[in-house]
Amino acid sequence: MKKIIFFLMIAAFASSCEQPEVGYMSDNIHSLQDVITVPKGLFMITPAPAIEGSTYPLEWKITGITDKDGKPTNELLEEHEILTWLKPFDPRTDTTLELAMKKLELTKRASILLNTTSGQFAFTQASRKVVGNDFDISVNVKNVRGERQLDNFAHIKLTPFVPVEIKNSMAVQLEGLKGNTWETIGQAYNVTNDFDPKVPSILDGTNPYMTIVKVSDEPKLSIKVKHIVTDSNNQALDPAKVVFNPARLGNFHDNTIGGGLTDAVGTTFTLPAPPFPQFSGRFNSNDGSPGIYWMYYLTAPGSFTVDKAAVEANNPTPSIGWPAYWAQYTDTTTGEIRNRGYIRWAFKINDTGTWEVRVKIPYTRKK
């Protein structure tokens, strides 16, 4: 009996000397996006993968990429020369081209990068040089407990390069002054976002009120954007009469070196590299936050004569009738409609070269 007890004590002691398991590696580590869709030529970061309680720190690496036919490819890993912003442009400090250029880096980068600590993918502007569109990517992850090979971890779908994005709602309208309040005369012209059916006409230059068109491939690395405001007959307004909206801080002058160069028909804004706009005094949060690309302008009161016949022909008759309607906005001294144009832009230009951005104030004739 004593021998049995002795051997049991030895077994218990030996068991107590066994080292406990260290760390945890889940069998269910996975990407939060089965398909990662990325427009070519744009910078984008994916969410961190779900690690399901696995012990930190983790170490990630890419182990293989295959094309749409399942064949191994290095196309996403090939390096191309790209110009990138290291820090956002700020006109309050970047007052010269030399100062702005210090925030830029011309370097060679692959189209896809992997954060070895977080497991997040970053896609760079180099993807604009990629020919293929569909890729499957495999990764390896390891920690103190061990490692997992995750084949076909995520599917990468590259879509065509997007030179212009309409990030938020845009609007242009004619306003009349009633008492101390500015009100819309007729109907405002609105564009919701990238999915608005009006967008193709804006980008090909055929839209009746707003156009964003590339007019030259020069300069090759930097960007110039000329802003032109016209009346209903496409007569350009003196740029001195295009003023900031005092209720809004966002404007294109906040996005250029030197505040813009003005000629007889418009103002040209210049940056050493896209995207444009790069900065907003009012909305300076991360890309994609509500309002970051809203840029506001007004025309100086009285810059136009209102085409009342055009308003009446294209809008429902007000309940008070047209004579009473116009009387609300009429200056009793001059007999003219007190008016101004209202403009709200919300686009982002990702391409280089020279662009022309035009907006037409409806129902107007330039004085």
Side-chain angles (χ1 to χ4, degrees):
M1 184 66 178
K2 289 182 179 179
K3 289 183 178 179
I4 294 175
I5 294 174
F6 177 73
F7 285 120
L8 288 174
M9 290 175 65
I10 292 176
F13 176 77
S15 176
S16 68
C17 290
E18 291 181 3
Q19 294 297 317
E21 293 183 350
V22 178
Y24 172 70
M25 173 70 79
S26 172
D27 292 326
N28 191 33
I29 297 175
H30 59 276
S31 171
L32 293 178
Q33 297 172 281
D34 292 333
V35 178
I36 301 172
T37 302
V38 185
K40 290 182 178 180
L42 301 191
F43 182 82
M44 193 187 86
I45 298 176
T46 65
I51 62 171
E52 303 297 346
S54 298
T55 303
Y56 287 108
L58 296 168
E59 183 179 340
W60 297 80
K61 68 176 180 180
I62 295 173
T63 56
I65 302 175
T66 56
D67 62 18
K68 64 182 181 65
D69 298 318
K71 297 179 180 179
T73 177
N74 288 321
E75 192 174 9
L76 291 180
L77 301 176
E78 293 172 354
E79 294 186 342
H80 302 278
E81 194 170 60
I82 59 173
L83 186 63
T84 58
W85 288 96
L86 301 176
K87 296 180 180 179
F89 173 79
D90 188 337
R92 297 169 297 191
T93 56
D94 305 330
T95 53
T96 66
L97 178 62
E98 290 73 22
L99 288 171
M101 290 297 291
K102 290 180 179 179
K103 292 186 173 181
L104 290 165
E105 181 182 41
L106 186 61
T107 185
K108 286 190 173 183
R109 288 286 185 267
S111 298
I112 188 171
L113 307 173
L114 177 62
N115 186 313
T116 58
T117 302
S118 69
Q120 293 173 276
F121 294 115
F123 296 87
T124 74
Q125 294 91 328
S127 63
R128 192 173 178 184
K129 305 290 181 66
V130 174
V131 176
N133 298 317
D134 292 274
F135 303 89
D136 287 300
I137 188 162
S138 299
V139 301
N140 180 275
V141 58
K142 64 182 179 179
N143 65 3
V144 66
R145 181 59 187 277
E147 63 182 270
R148 291 277 187 273
Q149 174 62 31
L150 306 173
D151 292 328
N152 298 324
F153 180 68
H155 182 78
I156 312 298
K157 185 172 185 61
L158 298 182
T159 58
F161 175 61
V162 181
V164 180
E165 297 175 87
I166 296 179
K167 307 291 288 188
N168 287 293
S169 60
M170 305 194 302
V172 58
Q173 62 196 42
L174 175 66
E175 296 183 335
L177 183 61
K178 183 172 69 175
N180 296 317
T181 303
W182 289 99
E183 297 181 345
T184 303
I185 291 178
Q187 296 176 330
Y189 187 81
N190 292 290
V191 179
T192 307
N193 52 32
D194 278 324
F195 304 102
D196 195 301
K198 304 183 190 75
V199 169
S201 65
I202 290 174
L203 302 183
D204 69 14
T206 61
N207 186 275
Y209 294 108
M210 295 178 163
T211 56
I212 305 169
V213 177
K214 187 174 185 178
V215 296
S216 172
D217 289 330
E218 296 293 337
K220 292 293 185 182
L221 294 178
S222 58
I223 182 170
K224 292 184 178 181
V225 180
K226 186 166 187 176
H227 188 224
I228 301 172
V229 179
T230 77
D231 68 4
S232 293
N233 297 313
N234 291 316
Q235 297 300 305
L237 186 65
D238 181 352
K241 295 184 177 181
V242 180
V243 299
F244 300 157
N245 186 333
R248 298 287 190 272
L249 299 181
N251 57 73
F252 293 135
H253 290 72
D254 284 347
N255 294 277
T256 189
I257 295 171
L261 180 64
T262 299
D263 60 20
V265 298
T267 302
T268 299
F269 304 103
T270 304
L271 276 175
F276 178 88
Q278 175 65 216
F279 172 89
S280 171
R282 182 179 178 90
F283 305 108
N284 56 0
S285 53
N286 292 330
D287 181 28
S289 297
I292 189 170
Y293 293 102
W294 276 333
M295 302 290 160
Y296 294 83
Y297 284 95
L298 301 170
T299 63
S303 299
F304 301 108
T305 297
V306 175
D307 186 345
K308 294 193 290 185
V311 175
E312 294 178 11
N314 291 281
N315 292 276
T317 302
S319 58
I320 59 175
W322 287 115
Y325 177 83
W326 293 120
Q328 302 174 104
Y329 307 113
T330 300
D331 185 316
T332 56
T333 301
T334 64
E336 293 190 351
I337 303 299
R338 295 169 293 186
N339 71 88
R340 71 179 186 187
Y342 170 95
I343 303 161
R344 183 178 70 233
W345 292 107
F347 62 82
K348 175 185 174 187
I349 298 177
N350 298 309
D351 203 1
T352 56
T354 300
W355 294 74
E356 188 175 273
V357 176
R358 298 175 70 96
V359 61
K360 180 189 296 183
I361 309 300
Y363 315 123
T364 58
R365 293 191 298 269
K366 185 179 76 169
K367 282 189 175 179

